[in-house]
Amino acid sequence: MSCCDLAAAGQLGKAGIMASDCEPALNQAEGRNPTLERYLGALREAKNDSEQFAALLLVTKAVKAGDIDAKTRRRIFDAVGFTFPNRLLTTKEAPDGCPDHVLRALGVALLACFCSDPELAAHPQVLNKIPILSTFLTARGDPDDAARRSMIDDTYQCLTAVAGTPRGPRHLIAGGTVSALCQAYLGHGYGFDQALALLVGLLAAAETQCWKEAEPDLLAVLRGLSEDFQKAEDASKFELCQLLPLFLPPTTVPPECYRDLQAGLARILGSKLSSWQRNPALKLAARLAHACGSDWIPAGSSGSKFLALLVNLACVEVRLALEETGTEVKEDVVTACYALMELGIQECTRCEQSLLKEPQKVQLVSVMKEAIGAVIHYLLQVGSEKQKEPFVFASVRILGAWLAEETSSLRKEVCQLLPFLVRYAKTLYEEAEEANDLSQQVANLAISPTTPGPTWPGDALRLLLPGWCHLTVEDGPREILIKEGAPSLLCKYFLQQWELTSPGHDTSVLPDSVEIGLQTCCHIFLNLVVTAPGLIKRDACFTSLMNTLMTSLPALVQQQGRLLLAANVATLGLLMARLLSTSPALQGTPASRGFFAAAILFLSQSHVARATPGSDQAVLALSPEYEGIWADLQELWFLGMQAFTGCVPLLPWLAPAALRSRWPQELLQLLGSVSPNSVKPEMVAAYQGVLVELARANRLCREAMRLQAGEETASHYRMAALEQCLSEP
């Protein structure tokens, strides 16, 4: 067969075989075309390449352009099969006088035609061609060659058809298509716009897998899009606003893109725009805030003005959407605005290296207060039928972020909403799987194309814990929370979350939010112990909580890196033990003895004697493990010392147990080995409180302290109460 015949065969697309013309049949006379059937028979009976080419040319003549329907395509496939296209795609030598890509172009054209049938697009013989097809996207050649352009179009049609099958994206990613598409787009050759469109589809379908397989190439595309966005002066900047969120990596945005993205957004949002132009920019800014916090915003005057503009625009959008009852809420846009408000809250509460100046913070707090008022107004209208909608979850989330930092303003409105919040949190807690799904839906709503990041926890209660911690200090809100059953719900939640940290679970894979949530629960319970002790004594849920604390602390204090949680558990347990001292569980049971032994370990290991250069006497210093977190730990430690002191006279078995642990002896030994000037007065008071109660409670404790030079040590530290107690028989 001559090259002219091959070229003629390559024109099959103009007569119905090329992918671009594989459309549904037009109105055709009933019955099959006898001429076509005869030629298809010849195609099936062809014995060599020349006869197949000739038969294909005859089929081309019998079928007018655009007249080929799905059934006809299938009959052509049945006649040709995959063997012939496979040979065309893999041949390395073309007939004399023909460009080397002609045979491949015909092979791709046949595959593209077959891929119009979804069943064939998912066929293994098509899927195993993905690596070959991907190489065609970046192959070099004459950009004006019509046959090469047709081959590129057909290649994209093949890959797009595969992407449309259920497992197609996975096969394309594994076959190297994502990298090839990135390179094709960056090369800006023929069909680069089709490469971008297919990339968008693959990222929407399987973002994580795409980034895992082709991160360097996708980052290169992101850099290119960011540069285009920064330079764009026409309507394309609005199109890029919609595209860019899809190309932001699931972890963090590379810093080299910050400047271009921020500059492009500043130019858009600083102009007077219609909502369809502004909303994509707000959503892009929200995605950046979610992924990078404020790192993408430059320091200095321009950055602070831009951040203030972002938050102000977000608050205005939230008020417009939520204050007017009956208006349709653009939930994706408002959710994006919530993310920008969270960024504003974070920056307004940041003490060091904040982008905002104090007057800007005051102004933003004022405008955010008005927006939060609109959120509360919206939530008060939410009926039970809407509680499982993702937008309600997003609204509760932003309210939780506000209440974590500010509970003094909007006090009346917050108290009015508290019953709803307790019921809402309880509903989602009881249906935990739906809560996780809601978190996913919220992320999909405006922040991330697929999965949420670690800052979108999958339960409503965790979002509300910091705010409730503040509110339980205040009489009015606390009474409402107790009346609505919040303490019982919190106990159940704590026990359920605690199970995730128990033996048998891999705590290394748990998000930090689980441990932070447990600590915040402890803070709420501490508030209730102090402000509502009667509740602790009468509500059975706190007995269950006490049992869990007692059985858990011994193992917890031994675990590296969990000292702060251990401090919370120990201190809460000691304070509750004072109130529940008559409980059978605290009468010297193995669990209670194990708990107090662990509590003593926590309290006793906080300080050590440390030698100082040039001095014969050591000083009292923090233990290395405690030193780095003492700012967060010290209040709990002092409260724990005070609570332990209060437990000694209530639990007769506790003083002998403390003596067996050698804590009082070692404490006096520590004080005797360091300079009294190195021990702060508050430390002296805490140590004396424990020693005095132990000495008063048990004669053997007094004797052991005397043997450890207790009277002398008490005199050196001016511990008058201890000195007097030890001087008594």
Side-chain angles (χ1 to χ4, degrees):
M1 176 169 284
S2 70
C3 182
C4 293
D5 293 329
L6 288 172
Q11 299 300 313
L12 286 172
K14 297 178 181 179
I17 279 292
M18 294 295 278
S20 55
D21 294 319
C22 288
E23 305 293 340
L26 300 174
N27 293 330
Q28 211 171 323
E30 292 186 3
R32 295 181 177 180
N33 183 329
T35 304
L36 175 61
E37 293 305 315
R38 187 167 64 252
Y39 293 160
L40 286 175
L43 188 58
R44 283 190 292 270
E45 296 171 4
K47 298 176 182 178
N48 53 48
D49 291 349
S50 296
E51 291 182 6
Q52 282 194 311
F53 274 118
L56 280 171
L57 291 171
L58 292 173
V59 169
T60 300
K61 293 177 182 179
V63 182
K64 294 182 178 179
D67 280 354
I68 186 167
D69 60 13
K71 290 183 179 179
T72 304
R73 280 196 300 270
R74 191 66 189 221
R75 291 202 302 278
I76 295 174
F77 167 73
D78 291 339
V80 178
F82 281 114
T83 303
F84 186 48
N86 289 350
R87 291 177 58 198
L88 292 172
L89 288 172
T90 57
T91 185
K92 296 182 179 179
E93 293 185 4
D96 293 341
C98 283
D100 59 3
H101 63 270
V102 168
L103 296 179
R104 293 195 297 274
L106 181 55
V108 176
L110 288 169
L111 275 186
C113 179
F114 299 157
C115 284
S116 300
D117 182 332
E119 184 179 342
L120 292 179
H123 194 284
Q125 286 286 350
V126 172
L127 299 179
N128 66 20
K129 302 300 181 300
I130 289 173
I132 297 175
L133 293 172
S134 297
T135 63
F136 295 163
L137 300 179
T138 56
R140 295 182 178 180
D142 183 357
D144 297 322
D145 187 310
R148 184 177 293 279
R149 289 191 171 202
S150 292
M151 183 176 75
I152 292 174
D153 287 335
D154 290 338
T155 299
Y156 281 118
Q157 181 156 340
C158 288
L159 297 175
T160 302
V162 171
T165 63
R167 305 180 73 178
R170 188 186 72 174
H171 289 290
L172 291 174
I173 294 167
T177 302
V178 176
S179 290
L181 290 170
C182 291
Q183 294 166 24
Y185 173 75
L186 292 170
H188 276 67
Y190 179 77
F192 78 98
D193 52 338
Q194 298 180 71
L196 186 62
L198 188 49
L199 268 177
V200 167
L202 290 176
L203 284 167
E207 178 193 32
T208 302
Q209 292 86 345
C210 286
W211 281 98
K212 183 178 179 181
E213 290 295 326
E215 181 173 344
D217 295 301
L218 285 169
L219 288 176
V221 172
L222 173 60
R223 285 190 286 269
L225 291 173
S226 301
E227 291 175 7
D228 293 343
F229 180 55
Q230 192 272 334
K231 296 175 183 176
E233 298 289 348
D234 55 12
S236 65
K237 61 187 176 184
F238 302 115
E239 297 172 4
L240 286 166
C241 258
Q242 295 177 322
L243 273 179
L244 276 164
L246 291 167
F247 286 88
L248 297 179
T251 50
T252 185
V253 179
E256 59 266 28
C257 296
Y258 289 170
R259 184 183 63 84
D260 290 335
L261 292 170
Q262 188 273 331
L265 281 171
R267 193 162 55 248
I268 290 177
L269 294 173
S271 306
K272 188 174 181 180
L273 301 170
S274 61
S275 59
W276 73 266
Q277 294 170 320
R278 181 178 60 252
N279 291 346
L282 290 173
K283 292 168 73 172
L284 174 58
R287 179 71 198 281
L288 286 165
H290 175 64
C292 313
S294 60
D295 291 346
W296 61 286
I297 301 175
S301 175
S302 63
S304 64
K305 289 179 181 178
F306 174 71
L307 177 57
L309 173 66
L310 272 182
V311 178
N312 274 288
L313 286 173
C315 290
V316 169
E317 197 71 35
V318 168
R319 292 188 63 189
L320 288 174
L322 301 183
E323 284 183 344
E324 297 182 17
T325 305
T327 58
E328 183 180 355
V329 177
K330 294 180 180 177
E331 295 180 350
D332 57 340
V333 178
V334 177
T335 304
C337 292
Y338 286 166
L340 297 175
M341 286 175 61
E342 276 199 58
L343 180 62
I345 292 170
Q346 292 166 8
E347 286 300 315
C348 284
T349 55
R350 180 179 293 181
C351 297
E352 298 180 358
Q353 296 182 332
S354 174
L355 291 172
L356 299 170
K357 298 177 181 178
E358 199 59 35
Q360 291 174 314
K361 291 183 179 182
V362 172
Q363 189 272 328
L364 289 183
V365 168
S366 176
V367 74
M368 286 192 290
K369 174 183 172 182
E370 294 174 348
I372 291 297
V375 174
I376 294 175
H377 172 76
Y378 165 76
L379 289 174
L380 285 170
Q381 318 303 316
V382 171
S384 58
E385 73 282 356
K386 288 189 175 182
Q387 285 194 11
K388 297 179 183 178
E389 293 184 2
F391 183 66
V392 175
F393 187 91
S395 300
V396 170
R397 173 186 166 84
I398 185 60
L399 178 61
W402 172 264
L403 292 177
E405 305 295 343
E406 173 58 58
T407 56
S408 59
S409 62
L410 299 170
R411 179 81 55 83
K412 179 181 177 181
E413 292 84 351
V414 169
C415 287
Q416 189 179 359
L417 187 65
L418 277 179
F420 164 81
L421 294 177
V422 176
R423 291 194 302 271
Y424 181 77
K426 183 178 181 181
T427 298
L428 292 194
Y429 167 73
E430 291 173 347
E431 302 174 19
E433 290 187 3
E434 291 194 27
N436 281 309
D437 184 56
L438 271 179
S439 181
Q440 172 85 28
Q441 293 178 51
V442 170
N444 291 348
L445 196 58
I447 305 302
S448 171
T450 53
T451 56
T455 55
W456 291 83
D459 63 77
L461 191 49
R462 192 179 302 160
L463 306 175
L464 296 169
L465 289 178
W468 287 8
C469 187
H470 298 314
L471 292 170
T472 48
V473 177
E474 305 173 21
D475 293 340
R478 181 176 63 252
E479 290 175 4
I480 296 173
L481 288 169
I482 292 174
K483 180 182 177 182
E484 295 296 328
S488 177
L489 173 62
L490 287 168
C491 283
K492 293 177 183 177
Y493 177 78
F494 181 90
L495 296 177
Q496 183 260 338
Q497 292 289 293
W498 190 264
E499 282 298 312
L500 299 176
T501 69
S502 62
H505 292 80
D506 185 1
T507 57
S508 64
V509 300
L510 285 178
D512 292 340
S513 56
V514 172
E515 189 150 317
I516 292 172
L518 288 170
Q519 292 176 22
T520 310
C521 280
C522 287
H523 295 166
I524 295 174
F525 296 140
L526 286 170
N527 290 341
L528 294 176
V529 167
V530 174
T531 60
L535 174 70
I536 308 300
K537 293 178 180 179
R538 69 174 180 266
D539 198 322
C541 71
F542 287 101
T543 301
S544 299
L545 176 62
M546 186 70 213
N547 290 335
T548 298
L549 299 179
M550 288 195 299
T551 57
S552 303
L553 185 62
L556 184 61
V557 294
Q558 303 292 341
Q559 297 176 20
Q560 292 290 327
R562 308 190 73 192
L563 180 57
L564 194 54
L565 180 58
N568 278 277
V569 170
T571 304
L572 175 61
L574 290 169
L575 285 168
M576 288 180 63
R578 279 197 316 187
L579 299 177
L580 302 174
S581 60
T582 59
S583 168
L586 285 163
Q587 306 311 311
T589 61
S592 62
R593 289 181 180 275
F595 169 78
F596 276 93
I600 289 173
L601 194 64
F602 159 66
L603 296 171
S604 64
Q605 292 187 340
S606 61
H607 291 78
V608 294
R610 182 177 298 168
T612 55
S615 175
D616 295 334
Q617 202 166 16
V619 297
L620 188 71
L622 286 166
S623 301
E625 188 179 2
Y626 287 66
E627 191 169 14
I629 58 172
W630 186 245
D632 298 318
L633 199 64
Q634 61 177 338
E635 186 177 353
L636 290 167
W637 187 87
F638 281 108
L639 196 56
M641 290 287 285
Q642 181 183 349
F644 185 92
T645 301
C647 287
V648 173
L650 298 174
L651 301 171
W653 59 269
L654 184 53
L659 183 61
R660 285 192 295 273
S661 74
R662 295 193 54 79
W663 184 27
Q665 300 96 310
E666 291 174 358
L667 181 50
L668 288 169
Q669 183 181 5
L670 174 65
L671 291 173
S673 66
V674 301
S675 168
N677 292 331
S678 69
V679 186
K680 296 179 180 179
E682 60 268 26
M683 294 294 299
V684 173
Y687 286 146
Q688 178 176 223
V690 169
L691 292 170
V692 166
E693 287 301 331
L694 289 173
R696 286 174 179 170
N698 186 269
R699 178 180 57 83
L700 295 177
C701 279
R702 290 195 296 275
E703 292 178 359
M705 291 182 196
R706 292 190 190 106
L707 291 173
Q708 196 62 52
E711 292 178 274
E712 183 181 351
T713 301
S715 176
H716 286 161
Y717 285 89
R718 298 179 181 178
M719 295 179 177
L722 178 60
E723 191 173 4
Q724 180 180 352
C725 184
L726 294 180
S727 66
E728 298 173 355

